[in-house]
Amino acid sequence: MISAQLRDAAMVVDLKALKHNIKQQQAALPAGSRILAVVKADAYGHGAVPVAHAAKEAGVDGFCVAMLDEGLELRNAGIDQLMLVLGLTPVHYAPVAALNDISLTVGSVNWLKEYAELAKNESLPPLKVHLALDTGMGRIGFRDAAELKQALALVNQPAFVFEGMFTHFATADAADDTYFKRQLGRWHDFLDAVDQKPPYVHMANSAVGMWHRKTIAANTVRMGISMYGCNPSGRELPDSLDLQPVASIVAKTTFVKHLQAGESISYGATYTAQNDEWVATLPIGYADGYLRRMQGFKVLVADQECDILGRICMDQMMIRLPESMPIGTEVVLMGSSKGKTLSATDLADHAHTINYEILTSITPRLMRRYKN
Ligand SMILES: *Cc1c(COP(=O)(O)O)cnc(C)c1O
């Protein structure tokens, strides 16, 4: 898809804020801790390659992606640190990982057997693997110590390098830590079953890095949403790191008109002016990932909050201006303007979703503009 450059609408990505957030997390961890920057889904919509380069400058030890193609994109862009695929990779694609020094997550004994068989016939470099342990997320991974023991016997074959083991928490962002503690107990049971620990032992996502730092029995944090300056819990728990939002969305007005009381706006004519008012059109819509569900929300013009009027269209939307303003007036749809802020979490609340989904919904058509 094209990234439209010849229009005044963009997602602005502040790489200095990204580095600041990484440094905040680093400073809050014990000395010697490592951070893997989670840059899956095009770095949560921020652009994987520029984000990875900035995170590398901030001193992260490596990267996590969701799938092999995402890892390859970064390898091709010259990122040469640890690159872990968090999802599962079918055995027949795994040689690509071995050949590109990409580490894979493994969650079953059969997978290890099948890959070892395939590698024997193909003289591949050893494949780096991280064993996923299911302590209660219920998504992927070994489910008990007996299964893990079988896997440990297999990863010591020459086809593999046993690089890591990890788990993932389902409720680390919740105020109630009952389930978290249950998972933590199982994680410790797994750790006790492994005599020879691999170099990377990791259990912390952003939420663990923010609210359960004292429980981190591991040497590595997988930093995702907090690196992008968002609170993993939305509003349930207060920020425990000084985070700065990385992404904002801006656009300039393309059309301004005076509307008379009784006239309507946009598809379905769902909005009808009660008074005379000034209305501006913005060149951004739901095909850019500014969700149609944002109808009824607001935007910022200088220090004023302005209502979105009527339905959001595919490529355009309308807002009420406080007064007549020239075409080309700057509008902030997400981010800060003159002391006012609309955060990704504010947008998420309006759309009944989470800040993660707001960010990853921004489509490639909206140009990413990098700052700092
Ligand atoms: C996506 C993901 C993360 C990052 O989660 P955040 O909540 O954004 O920190 C960490 N670990 C795994 C296994 C993931 O899938």
Side-chain angles (χ1 to χ4, degrees):
M1 199 197 276
I2 56 148
S3 169
Q5 315 225 355
L6 307 178
R7 70 164 171 172
D8 288 333
M11 174 165 160
V12 180
V13 178
D14 183 350
L15 296 173
K16 198 165 130 205
L18 184 100
K19 291 182 194 172
H20 165 89
N21 296 336
I22 293 168
K23 298 230 152 90
Q24 288 294 310
Q25 179 67 85
Q26 278 165 341
L29 295 170
S33 304
R34 295 185 282 216
I35 292 182
L36 300 181
V38 182
V39 292
K40 61 193 182 188
D42 203 25
Y44 293 37
H46 296 66
V49 172
V51 162
H53 282 294
K56 187 171 164 178
E57 281 169 34
V60 303
D61 292 86
F63 298 91
C64 295
V65 292
M67 46 196 77
L68 190 49
D69 293 274
E70 293 178 338
L72 281 177
E73 182 193 13
L74 292 170
R75 281 283 180 263
N76 292 336
I79 299 286
D80 52 12
Q81 293 157 293
L82 184 149
M83 184 72 60
L84 170 63
V85 176
L86 294 171
L88 295 178
T89 306
V91 171
H92 54 274
Y93 297 128
V96 180
L99 291 167
N100 288 278
D101 191 31
I102 292 173
S103 310
L104 294 185
T105 290
V106 175
S108 81
V109 169
N110 273 343
W111 195 101
L112 291 169
K113 286 182 181 159
E114 284 173 30
Y115 182 79
E117 197 56 40
L118 183 145
K120 221 184 289 170
N121 304 328
E122 287 195 28
S123 77
L124 293 163
L127 175 69
K128 293 176 177 165
V129 295
H130 291 230
L131 301 181
L133 310 174
D134 186 2
T135 56
M137 176 67 183
R139 191 164 65 178
I140 55 171
F142 298 95
R143 297 176 57 81
D144 58 51
E147 230 185 358
L148 176 59
K149 285 245 157 83
Q150 281 180 283
L152 290 172
L154 289 165
V155 289
N156 287 322
Q157 300 174 87
F160 301 109
V161 173
F162 181 30
E163 186 178 56
M165 55 189 278
F166 73 100
T167 195
H168 191 48
F169 286 89
T171 64
D173 58 348
D176 180 348
D177 66 356
T178 316
Y179 196 80
F180 175 82
K181 283 190 175 140
R182 206 153 98 201
Q183 279 197 260
L184 195 62
R186 290 195 193 140
W187 168 243
H188 283 284
D189 292 344
F190 273 123
L191 290 183
D192 291 346
V194 182
D195 302 324
Q196 214 73 43
K197 302 279 191 302
Y200 289 83
V201 179
H202 44 116
M203 49 73 98
N205 57 4
S206 296
V208 174
M210 285 185 76
W211 298 300
H212 301 283
R213 282 198 283 274
K214 294 209 177 68
T215 71
I216 298 181
N219 57 24
T220 305
V221 171
R222 303 184 302 270
M223 190 177 184
I225 195 77
S226 59
M227 185 170 73
Y228 305 101
C230 293
N231 182 322
S233 78
R235 298 182 203 285
E236 188 163 337
L237 294 168
D239 277 353
S240 81
L241 295 171
D242 165 34
L243 299 177
Q244 296 174 359
V246 174
S248 47
I249 302 175
V250 296
K252 286 181 180 168
T253 59
T254 53
F255 194 83
V256 176
K257 62 178 168 281
H258 186 249
L259 200 71
Q260 259 139 37
E263 293 186 296
S264 294
I265 295 285
S266 196
Y267 289 116
T270 60
Y271 175 78
T272 302
Q274 301 301 308
N275 305 295
D276 286 14
E277 56 197 15
W278 287 96
V279 174
T281 302
L282 303 179
I284 181 169
Y286 63 76
D288 298 298
Y290 194 81
L291 306 175
R292 195 163 172 275
R293 286 198 302 281
M294 296 312 296
Q295 178 170 0
F297 196 60
K298 56 205 173 191
V299 299
L300 301 174
V301 176
D303 61 348
Q304 310 217 46
E305 293 184 348
C306 301
D307 290 332
I308 293 171
L309 301 179
R311 291 202 181 132
I312 289 161
C313 309
M314 189 184 291
D315 321 296
Q316 304 182 72
M317 55 189 271
M318 279 63 79
I319 61 168
R320 184 192 301 113
L321 294 177
E323 64 211 20
S324 172
M325 288 178 168
I327 288 173
T329 296
E330 175 119 357
V331 177
V332 174
L333 294 92
M334 185 175 85
S336 294
S337 173
K338 309 252 184 216
K340 286 229 164 64
T341 299
L342 298 173
S343 68
T345 301
D346 293 332
L347 271 67
D349 285 353
H350 186 84
H352 301 291
T353 181
I354 54 176
N355 47 33
Y356 295 73
E357 195 180 26
I358 292 292
L359 295 173
T360 57
S361 295
I362 305 299
T363 64
R365 189 176 74 175
L366 191 65
M367 181 182 62
R368 271 59 169 173
R369 198 191 302 145
Y370 294 93
K371 219 167 83 173
N372 300 313

